[in-house]
Amino acid sequence: MNKILTLFLVIISIIGCKNNNQSVEKTPKLDVEASKKDKNMPAFGIVIHGGAGTIRRKNMSDSLEKAYRLKLEEAISVGHTVLSNGGTALEAVTKTINVLEDSPLFNAGKGAVFTHDETNELDASIMDGATLNAGAVAGVTKIKNPINLALSVMNDSPHVMLYGKGAEEFAKLQGFKWVDTSYFYTKRRFKSIKKAKRKEKKKRRKEKLTFQDFDNFQDPFFNDTKFGTVGCVALDKNGNLAAGTSTGGMTNKRWNRIGDSPVIGAGTYANNKTCAISCTGWGEYFIRGVVAHDISAMMEYKGVTLEDAAKEVIQNKLTKMGGTGGIIAIDKDGNIAMEFNTAGMYRATMNAKGELNIAIFGKDK
Ligand code: ASP
């Protein structure tokens, strides 16, 4: 009887141990591994845009599409390398935008559009989400990389925004080289301004419009501009956010028109509490809608997610106002938003693992 009892107890204790071992091995082990992974790989990421507008596959040759995709990949990889080596979000944003500014494909730096007077006037801004410091330049004509000058305004001056000749004098003091204005000439953009002016003249004559009736001529769809402004937002390994935007503005602009891109809160915004945003589109609407700050404010004051805030501001508010364009954004946890109400937007993302995603047209996701 004693033997039977002992055997019974041994069997019970073996079953008990087995069950225990199973539960120890399952869930906790996975949890430990997951948290280890997080420690080794803090969330960081980068998002870029190369402008939004009437970008349709049927209007784009395969070779041009390939060229855009390659340049977007080159640019985002530069910023991603900065971030993965422990560099700051500000550095990643600046270096990434430099690649896009140096390419004739985009309406920034080398590929800037022409004004009505057939000159190039460039705008740019940058913001540091950690300190809420910001720098911007508008209407500069001799600076190869306006985003670098915006950064210098932020770091080396007591101001936020400098304009035109003054900005260029400041640049010289800071050791920037001036480029000849002919540097910004590209055949493609020159053809665009000529075409826009021809169209404008024809419409004025046909409809007997007075000089005051210029509203339509600022419409990017009327003047055939496919936008092309560039922007970048990044989250670095230290949890700091930064945003930057650089542009030639809109084709056929006049009277020293300044768009949203150099306006902090309209075209660019970053705040470590919420997110970093860069906008592209019809600037007048982005200024009036204070688009970039609006998204951040919804997150900060109402606890709305980045995705919902971006959707609300672009698809509801901006669209109702009659504005067109889009935004890219990244939040403090590495969540991303790319929202636009145009046919397409050149865009790319890269996460901490180095996974790349490039898209151009509306249906690409
Ligand atoms: N937002 C820019 C501007 O209005 C243009 C663009 O994004 O393409 O100057």
Side-chain angles (χ1 to χ4, degrees):
M1 183 63 192
N2 260 357
K3 263 188 189 168
I4 292 172
L5 196 66
T6 314
L7 192 66
F8 180 71
L9 284 175
V10 167
I11 289 170
I12 290 287
S13 75
I14 285 174
I15 291 171
C17 277
K18 233 185 173 177
N19 281 344
N20 247 356
N21 282 346
Q22 270 175 359
S23 65
V24 167
E25 266 186 20
K26 270 187 185 164
T27 359
K29 204 175 170 198
L30 282 177
D31 276 350
V32 170
E33 276 194 1
S35 67
K36 253 196 212 159
K37 226 185 224 166
D38 280 346
K39 261 192 187 161
N40 289 340
M41 204 191 270
F44 70 91
I46 181 163
V47 191
I48 60 174
H49 73 74
T54 41
I55 308 160
R56 293 202 170 88
R57 183 165 266 133
K58 64 174 185 324
N59 299 332
M60 193 182 284
S61 68
D62 288 352
S63 58
L64 190 60
E65 183 183 338
K66 200 171 164 201
Y68 272 111
R69 285 181 186 273
L70 280 175
K71 198 45 86 176
L72 290 170
E73 182 172 351
E74 181 191 335
I76 204 163
S77 304
V78 165
H80 190 268
T81 305
V82 170
L83 296 173
S84 58
N85 289 338
T88 65
L90 276 173
E91 193 191 341
V93 164
T94 313
K95 292 208 164 135
T96 301
I97 289 182
N98 286 165
V99 176
L100 300 168
E101 285 177 330
D102 292 345
S103 162
L105 289 173
F106 301 96
N107 172 19
K110 175 66 188 161
V113 297
F114 282 86
T115 66
H116 187 77
D117 296 332
E118 298 178 8
T119 58
N120 308 94
E121 295 175 0
L122 293 82
D123 306 331
S125 67
I126 193 159
M127 185 157 184
D128 178 4
T131 58
L132 302 188
N133 278 339
V137 290
V140 292
T141 59
K142 302 182 182 77
I143 307 299
K144 183 171 171 277
N145 295 106
I147 196 73
N148 297 7
L149 186 54
L151 183 70
S152 181
V153 170
M154 180 176 101
N155 289 334
D156 310 316
S157 89
H159 307 300
V160 170
M161 190 192 280
L162 299 181
Y163 170 70
K165 283 199 170 65
E168 285 162 355
E169 273 166 31
F170 171 77
K172 229 180 195 174
L173 285 175
Q174 296 303 321
F176 282 78
K177 283 204 183 92
W178 286 359
V179 291
D180 193 89
T181 50
S182 63
Y183 167 77
F184 299 105
Y185 173 88
T186 55
K187 214 171 160 185
R188 178 183 175 207
R189 300 295 188 193
F190 198 65
K191 264 170 91 178
S192 284
I193 183 61
K194 290 291 188 194
K195 193 173 162 193
K197 283 167 76 171
R198 267 200 311 277
K199 266 187 166 179
E200 178 179 344
K201 213 170 163 186
K202 215 165 136 192
K203 191 174 161 94
R204 279 191 193 286
R205 214 181 296 135
K206 203 170 145 207
E207 296 178 20
K208 295 195 175 56
L209 296 173
T210 68
F211 192 59
Q212 256 66 29
D213 298 311
F214 53 80
D215 272 9
N216 284 338
F217 307 115
Q218 289 295 307
D219 183 334
F221 297 111
F222 174 76
N223 72 29
D224 206 26
T225 296
K226 305 272 195 300
F227 297 110
T229 291
V230 305
C232 177
V233 295
L235 168 69
D236 66 29
K237 284 183 176 176
N238 291 318
N240 290 320
L241 290 163
T245 312
S246 183
T247 188
M250 281 165 67
T251 305
N252 207 16
K253 65 183 182 180
R254 56 182 103 170
W255 307 303
N256 297 128
R257 177 261 187 193
I258 297 169
D260 61 312
S261 307
V263 180
I264 297 300
T268 304
Y269 194 73
N271 184 342
N272 272 10
K273 278 193 200 160
T274 56
C275 63
I277 305 159
S278 170
C279 304
T280 177
W282 195 344
E284 278 68 12
Y285 289 89
F286 280 76
I287 295 174
R288 289 165 51 211
V290 205
V291 166
H293 183 263
D294 232 27
I295 294 171
S296 169
M298 282 179 78
M299 296 175 71
E300 184 173 359
Y301 303 128
K302 290 288 173 197
V304 177
T305 64
L306 172 62
E307 197 189 342
D308 289 348
K311 221 171 233 144
E312 172 65 25
V313 173
I314 297 301
Q315 307 300 354
N316 196 13
K317 178 177 166 175
L318 183 76
T319 305
K320 275 190 189 147
M321 286 172 76
T324 48
I327 62 102
I328 53 159
I330 187 165
D331 74 11
K332 58 184 176 33
D333 302 314
N335 298 308
I336 278 165
M338 296 185 287
E339 201 64 48
F340 52 96
N341 66 0
T342 48
M345 178 167 81
Y346 299 102
R347 57 203 188 277
T349 65
M350 220 182 208
N351 63 14
K353 287 185 206 148
E355 289 163 344
L356 172 69
N357 178 23
I358 299 179
I360 299 177
F361 310 104
K363 294 243 157 64
D364 295 350
K365 280 287 165 197

